[in-house]
Amino acid sequence: MFSSIRAGFTHQRTIALGGALSAAGLASIWLVPNAAADKAPEAPPSALNPNDWKAFKLQSIDTGGPPNTNRYRFALENPKQEVGLPVASCLVTRAAIGSENDDGSKKFVIRPYTPTSPKDAKGYFDLVVKVYEQGKMSKHFGELKEGDEVEMKGPLVKFQYKANMKKKIGMIAGGSGITPMLQVASEIVSNPDDKTQVSLVFANQTEKDIILKKELDEMAAKHNNFQVYYTIDDIGEGVGKEWKGGVGYVTREMATDHMPPPSDDNLVLICGPPPMYKALSGEKKSPKDQGELSGILKAMGYTEQQVFKF
């Protein structure tokens, strides 16, 4: 499993008044605050630009996670700089790995990813990517080596979170759909003034496939306003007696037990593969169109304003 994520003096100047010393050898020396120095040093600008693509160098690859899932750490030019992503937002990556153009060059493939490093991490950011043989961009990530560069831009804001905007937030995630959920949950638990209660149902194929499990378990252990419930499709041999979570897809019973009840004071976030959307909430029409609410959540009494699809 991956290693855990978690990581003035006032200047003064002397001004001599009256030019030269008087005959008596006296001078008037005043200590006057330097207005420019009094200002707090400005933080470096965000590393990302929403309008321009910028190349980021791959600093390291951590392969100690679930099967075919790696953590890619990209370096920022300034070690004091932050990637600059508001919650909840993602960045987009591109690589010339698509079909050929008429001139023989390759078309760009573009995919969004949500960093999993702390929001205030300085000098770097992490992307956790599950490598699929049929996935053009994820396969490209699987072939990257330290020192390689990937073009990115952002942020792309998906959901504007504000502290205490809801009393309770439920989260249903499948596979790599956990990344925006981790971003929102981390923002909540890191703010002592945010009293929002968070409950997460996280579905995966097997226990070994659970991405960021160590980080999620540590968050649940440290913060009483965050709870996580896992469900897996396949328990596997020798695991049945030890497995304490659910088995199978996310059901209405699981949602009833672990999601906050339908209310304008509460919100349910969902992110996962298309079959999950279809069963639980209905699919999005486009990045800007949430589409009609349907499925299990609608049957439970939630309204379209009480559900958000990443």
Side-chain angles (χ1 to χ4, degrees), residues 13 31 43 57 93 149 160 166 177 189 194 196 236 239 242 291:
R13 60 182 179 180
L31 295 178
K57 182 174 291 186
T93 63
E149 294 184 338
Q160 293 184 334
K166 297 293 180 180
V189 301
D194 196 335
T196 307
V239 182
E242 301 175 3

Side-chain angles (χ1 to χ4, degrees), residues 15-26:
I15 299 179
L17 301 180
L21 294 175
S22 66
L26 297 177

Side-chain angles (χ1 to χ4, degrees), residues 18 32 61 104 125 304:
V32 181
I61 305 174
F125 64 94
E304 291 183 356

